[in-house]
Amino acid sequence: MLSIIVLTVACKNETKEQNSKTSMAVDYSETKKVDTVDTYFGTKVKDPYRWLEDDRSEETGKWVAAQNKTTFGYLENIPFREDLKKRLSDLWNYEKVGSPFKEGDYTYFYKNNGLQNQFVIYRFKNEGDEPEVFLDPNTFSKDGTTSLAGASFSKNGKLLAYSISEGGSDWRKVIIKNVETNEIVEDTIIDVKFSGMSWKGNEGFYYSSYDKPKGSELSAKTDQHKLYYHKLGTPQKEDQLIFGGTPEEKHRYVGGSVTEDDRFLIISGSVSTSGNKLFIKDLTKPNSSLITILNEPNSDSYIIENVGSKLYIVTNLNAPNQKIVTVDAANPTPENWKDFIPETENVLSPNTGGGYFFAEYMVDAVSKVLQYDYDGKLIREIELPGVGSANGFGSKKEEKELYYSFTNYKTPGTIYKYDIEKGDSKIYYKPKIDFNPDNYESKQVFYTSKDGTKVPMIITHKKGIELNGKNPTILYGYGGFNISLTPSFSIANAVWMEQGGIYAVPNLRGGGEYGKKWHNAGTKMQKQNVFDDFIAAAEFLIAKKYTSSDYLAIRGGSNGGLLVGATMTQRPDLMKVALPAVGVLDMLRYHTFTAGAGWAYDYGTAEDNKEMFDYLKGYSPVHNVKEGVQYPATLVTTGDHDDRVVPAHSFKFAAELQAKQTGDNPTLIRIETNAGHGSGNVTKTMDLYVDIFSFTLHNMGYEVLPEKVNNKVKG
């Protein structure tokens, strides 16, 4: 009866009273304060929890253990937690298969039987053959925390270089394997970070890394990325430095790739996450020099294809929504570029396969795909299965078929086989999952932000829900780094929606949904636009009675964790629950850790000038937690091996909240061990979602899962 009362109370005061009945007392261990003070442009800023930045100290370790004891003690007492865990496990337990791809004599594909911690690589030689296990990452470690982070085959397909991540760290090891004998062929390459592996023929491959930092490898600054060439049969210490490493010119992100015909090495060098320099080297000519295509990082540009010396370059230089240009490798600078696929009003994300270009466009964050030949002639628009996200459309030039996936917020990812010449699509693999998309609806709305900007949002939920302001709702956002949130299916979100929950995703400024202008509108001194867009999304959902402040949770990770932290400190009245994950939360010091300085294009730094410092301090979540304010129930989540956004951000934010929170709303931090910026481990991922959803529903007043009380009561 208790949960029925929660759902049927008719007014806000009764709801608040009910929520107070279900709250559990939390005994926080007091976090020590120190007298660290920094001075920025004459302004003194206290940093009382600076000591928590030392991830190697015994004292920090004890703090982590104490916080986890408190957090899990709370979570384990939520009465429906086990019911939620069982449902999530049951739904997650279905076979998942990736698109097949050919390398040498074999066709490979990834598969997970259901609840395996890691996807397994299978292979077969001929159609109809029984696939065999080729590489099983579940055997890499007993607890499943060592994952496969990347794989690259030599040109003839006889060798595989694959990278592994231990405990979720971005630092990788690279192992080389003979695909016929399954034997490891030489010593492991170590200390690789933010890198792919690109083969030059069958002789060796290019990879990128930083020098090992002094101090903690999980938090010390790394800002000099370098490209190396590893020749098979030689020790790593003899690997050739190809690009980077000069003190007068720092590149925080460097990448190298070889064209499919083995003719060119393409090198990209960046000082931040936006913009890059571009170079090529002719590998057919011994000792050829590096040729500069772009020597200024004022665009995002890369070579997607070549036919002999003719280069096809994807660029947003003077084209915010991206276009493809052609140029000869002998004179490749921008004044010689010719439009191949011109810029349109929609953002372009192209791929190649089977001798064609596939131009995927985002139309209000939804996919549209056009097929062009190498002369730039439009062949056809590809008929997609519905409104959502199509991904793939890539293969080697000689292939006659390729594979793409299609998904949206209510449709599990389905793989289609596409006949490149005929343009026909057929279902190749459709998952068998205990979830019926026909019972759900997903629609796009447009709402108005604070400054009048129209922002799209997709809202997904069970059909037939009542708009009575009492639907538990998760508002999820990101809004940064030119990243686009396009519709995709999530098992965890399916479980949330089964409970009568609403899942809403706005496409905030700072993202890439409408090109570079949309991205720039949410950077540096315009970052507040992102928070305003998110706040306006919440207000829209409340005004339209999808939910109310008593039933709204906001969620986001990484830059999205910053979004949640800034929103909850600016408008603590707006939501009942806040869920900042692996967040960038100390905006005055983010650039002093690992590769954080590379994020300055989006954020600026506190050292730039007084105006930028004041702006950052004005929204930095760690610096805007105030005494005497009732903040929403908050579950901060992070990983102890996160070396991208170091956990000190989350530690300091949680400590500030616990010290200053007014009222009974809990402020907890959940610190996953042997996990990084995002766990690739299925068991850990499921446990995380169980805790997030349990915490959220419990703090909205539920004592049993919402679906058990039908969620169709009238207020």
Side-chain angles (χ1 to χ4, degrees):
M1 289 295 294
L2 185 61
S3 57
I4 296 176
I5 295 171
V6 172
L7 287 168
T8 56
V9 288
C11 71
K12 192 171 182 181
N13 289 336
E14 286 176 292
T15 301
K16 285 187 173 179
E17 180 183 346
Q18 179 59 42
N19 286 344
S20 69
K21 290 178 183 177
T22 62
S23 64
M24 291 184 280
V26 182
D27 182 20
Y28 306 108
S29 55
E30 188 173 346
T31 303
K32 180 187 75 172
K33 294 183 179 181
V34 295
D35 58 0
T36 305
V37 176
D38 295 315
T39 302
Y40 300 86
F41 304 99
T43 300
K44 295 185 182 300
V45 180
K46 293 181 179 180
D47 193 357
Y49 304 113
R50 176 72 60 86
W51 63 275
L52 287 171
E53 292 180 3
D54 186 354
D55 57 274
R56 298 184 298 175
S57 80
E58 183 179 347
E59 197 173 19
T60 301
K62 288 180 178 178
W63 184 87
V64 167
Q67 290 289 332
N68 271 344
K69 183 178 179 181
T70 298
T71 297
F72 286 106
Y74 179 98
L75 294 170
E76 287 163 4
N77 277 302
I78 295 175
F80 52 79
R81 186 167 178 256
E82 288 305 312
D83 289 342
L84 193 57
K85 186 173 185 177
K86 184 179 186 307
R87 180 55 189 146
L88 187 61
S89 178
D90 288 347
L91 189 59
W92 207 295
N93 192 13
Y94 69 93
E95 185 180 80
K96 306 162 192 72
V97 176
S99 299
F101 56 95
K102 292 181 180 178
E103 298 289 349
D105 297 332
Y106 292 93
T107 297
Y108 296 84
F109 63 95
Y110 288 80
K111 186 176 84 167
N112 189 307
N113 290 336
L115 296 177
Q116 290 174 291
N117 276 318
Q118 313 289 345
F119 274 72
V120 178
I121 302 181
Y122 289 79
R123 69 178 182 183
F124 58 87
K125 273 194 173 180
N126 304 301
E127 285 289 340
D129 288 353
E130 184 70 24
E132 63 178 5
V133 173
F134 171 63
L135 185 65
D136 185 358
N138 296 289
T139 64
F140 290 174
S141 62
K142 289 183 179 179
D143 62 358
T145 59
T146 299
S147 60
L148 179 66
S152 177
F153 288 85
S154 60
K155 296 294 181 178
N156 62 12
K158 295 185 180 301
L159 295 169
L160 168 68
Y162 66 93
S163 61
I164 62 172
S165 167
E166 296 168 311
S169 171
D170 281 330
W171 289 101
R172 313 289 199 229
K173 293 178 179 176
V174 177
I175 298 164
I176 300 125
K177 185 177 186 179
N178 182 307
V179 304
E180 291 293 346
T181 65
N182 267 333
E183 293 176 336
I184 294 172
V185 298
E186 58 177 64
D187 292 341
T188 297
I189 295 173
I190 62 172
D191 297 335
V192 176
K193 189 171 185 178
F194 295 157
S195 176
M197 295 84 67
S198 186
W199 286 82
K200 176 186 176 184
N202 310 299
E203 308 156 6
F205 56 86
Y206 298 90
Y207 69 93
S208 305
S209 195
Y210 303 90
D211 293 334
K212 199 77 167 180
K214 295 177 182 178
S216 169
E217 70 173 36
L218 294 179
S219 60
K221 191 171 185 177
T222 50
D223 65 352
Q224 184 67 290
H225 215 200
K226 303 174 184 179
L227 179 67
Y228 294 92
Y229 175 69
H230 175 73
K231 185 176 181 180
L232 293 183
T234 63
Q236 184 179 2
K237 65 182 179 181
E238 294 180 10
D239 288 356
Q240 182 183 357
L241 176 63
I242 303 297
F243 184 86
T246 55
E248 65 275 8
E249 187 177 31
K250 286 187 176 181
H251 293 94
R252 295 190 178 96
Y253 310 105
V254 170
S257 61
V258 179
T259 54
E260 189 176 331
D261 61 3
D262 251 358
R263 176 163 179 178
F264 295 107
L265 169 66
I266 305 161
I267 299 175
S268 172
S270 305
V271 294
S272 74
T273 51
S274 184
N276 65 284
K277 301 176 185 178
L278 190 62
F279 311 89
I280 59 169
K281 180 180 174 68
D282 192 335
L283 297 177
T284 65
K285 299 176 181 178
N287 302 315
S288 62
S289 59
L290 210 59
I291 298 173
T292 300
I293 300 176
L294 290 165
N295 202 33
E296 295 295 331
N298 56 358
S299 70
D300 300 288
S301 303
Y302 62 94
I303 297 172
I304 188 174
E305 180 63 291
N306 73 294
V307 177
S309 65
K310 185 178 183 179
L311 308 177
Y312 295 81
I313 301 173
V314 181
T315 184
N316 61 10
L317 183 64
N318 301 318
N321 290 342
Q322 293 204 141
K323 63 181 179 178
I324 302 179
V325 299
T326 59
V327 72
D328 192 270
N331 296 288
T333 48
E335 63 269 20
N336 300 307
W337 291 0
K338 295 180 180 178
D339 281 3
F340 173 65
I341 297 179
E343 182 189 24
T344 71
E345 62 181 357
N346 299 310
V347 180
L348 170 66
S349 300
N351 211 336
T352 63
Y356 291 90
F357 284 83
F358 294 88
E360 180 189 343
Y361 291 96
M362 277 187 294
V363 183
D364 296 327
V366 172
S367 292
K368 173 182 178 180
V369 183
L370 305 179
Q371 182 176 345
Y372 291 88
D373 66 17
Y374 274 50
D375 294 322
K377 178 186 175 184
L378 175 63
I379 303 301
R380 63 178 66 91
E381 178 177 348
I382 295 170
E383 186 177 345
L384 298 177
V387 176
S389 303
N391 294 292
F393 293 102
S395 73
K396 294 183 173 65
K397 281 184 182 177
E398 67 271 14
E399 300 295 340
K400 303 299 182 187
E401 299 169 329
L402 56 74
Y403 299 84
Y404 68 91
S405 63
F406 180 83
T407 183
N408 56 37
Y409 289 119
K410 67 184 184 72
T411 306
T414 300
I415 298 171
Y416 291 82
K417 180 189 283 188
Y418 179 74
D419 186 307
I420 296 171
E421 291 296 333
K422 294 180 181 178
D424 296 332
S425 293
K426 294 181 180 178
I427 292 177
Y428 174 79
Y429 175 78
K430 184 176 183 178
K432 297 177 181 177
I433 178 175
D434 183 21
F435 179 83
N436 186 357
D438 293 339
N439 295 334
Y440 297 81
E441 60 181 291
S442 190
K443 67 177 181 179
Q444 187 173 60
V445 299
F446 289 82
Y447 65 91
T448 304
S449 191
K450 183 177 181 180
D451 64 355
T453 299
K454 295 291 184 183
V455 182
M457 174 165 58
I458 295 179
I459 306 170
T460 311
H461 53 76
K462 272 184 179 178
K463 290 179 178 177
I465 66 166
E466 289 190 43
L467 300 186
N468 57 10
K470 296 179 182 179
N471 300 298
T473 299
I474 290 178
L475 178 65
Y476 180 88
Y478 189 80
F481 295 93
N482 206 38
I483 290 172
S484 303
L485 296 186
T486 57
S488 64
F489 182 77
S490 158
I491 302 168
N493 291 336
V495 171
W496 174 259
M497 292 187 296
E498 279 185 341
Q499 305 308 314
I502 292 172
Y503 186 67
V505 182
N507 297 109
L508 314 172
R509 280 175 284 185
E513 291 87 352
Y514 294 105
K516 199 64 179 174
K517 291 179 181 178
W518 193 253
H519 174 208
N520 287 339
T523 62
K524 293 189 177 72
M525 303 291 286
Q526 299 186 91
K527 188 65 179 175
Q528 183 61 39
N529 286 337
V530 186
F531 314 140
D532 289 342
D533 290 355
F534 202 51
I535 289 167
E539 291 174 335
F540 175 90
L541 292 169
I542 292 168
K544 297 297 183 182
K545 295 192 179 299
Y546 283 97
T547 191
S548 62
S549 293
D550 286 321
Y551 293 97
L552 176 64
I554 59 171
R555 182 166 179 257
S558 195
N559 174 73
L562 163 63
L563 172 69
V564 171
T567 302
M568 66 179 284
T569 50
Q570 292 181 15
R571 286 292 307 276
D573 60 305
L574 194 57
M575 74 294 299
K576 184 63 182 176
V577 178
L579 303 164
V582 294
V584 187
L585 298 161
D586 183 343
M587 299 308 297
L588 302 186
R589 288 181 55 75
Y590 78 86
H591 60 292
T592 65
F593 304 110
T594 62
W599 310 336
Y601 181 94
D602 266 56
Y603 299 145
T605 77
E607 297 166 0
D608 289 348
N609 51 59
K610 186 177 187 305
E611 186 183 23
M612 193 73 250
F613 157 70
D614 287 337
Y615 193 84
L616 288 167
K617 186 174 181 293
Y619 75 77
S620 175
V622 164
H623 300 93
N624 283 279
V625 181
K626 297 178 175 62
E627 298 274 6
V629 175
Q630 179 166 304
Y631 291 99
T634 304
L635 180 62
V636 182
T637 55
T638 188
D640 67 349
H641 276 60
D642 189 347
D643 47 358
R644 200 173 311 172
V645 180
V646 296
H649 285 276
S650 296
F651 295 173
K652 291 162 73 172
F653 187 54
E656 288 283 354
L657 284 169
Q658 289 177 359
K660 297 175 180 176
Q661 171 74 290
T662 296
D664 297 327
N665 288 338
T667 296
L668 303 175
I669 180 167
R670 184 189 188 279
I671 305 148
E672 188 68 75
T673 56
N674 283 320
H677 197 58
S679 175
N681 179 302
V682 166
T683 301
K684 287 181 179 290
T685 301
M686 286 196 301
D687 287 346
L688 174 63
Y689 276 113
V690 167
D691 290 342
I692 287 172
F693 292 162
S694 296
F695 179 87
T696 299
L697 291 170
H698 180 73
N699 280 283
M700 289 175 177
Y702 293 96
E703 283 296 289
V704 298
L705 289 177
E707 70 167 355
K708 292 190 175 182
V709 290
N710 196 17
N711 203 36
K712 285 190 178 181
V713 293
K714 296 180 180 179

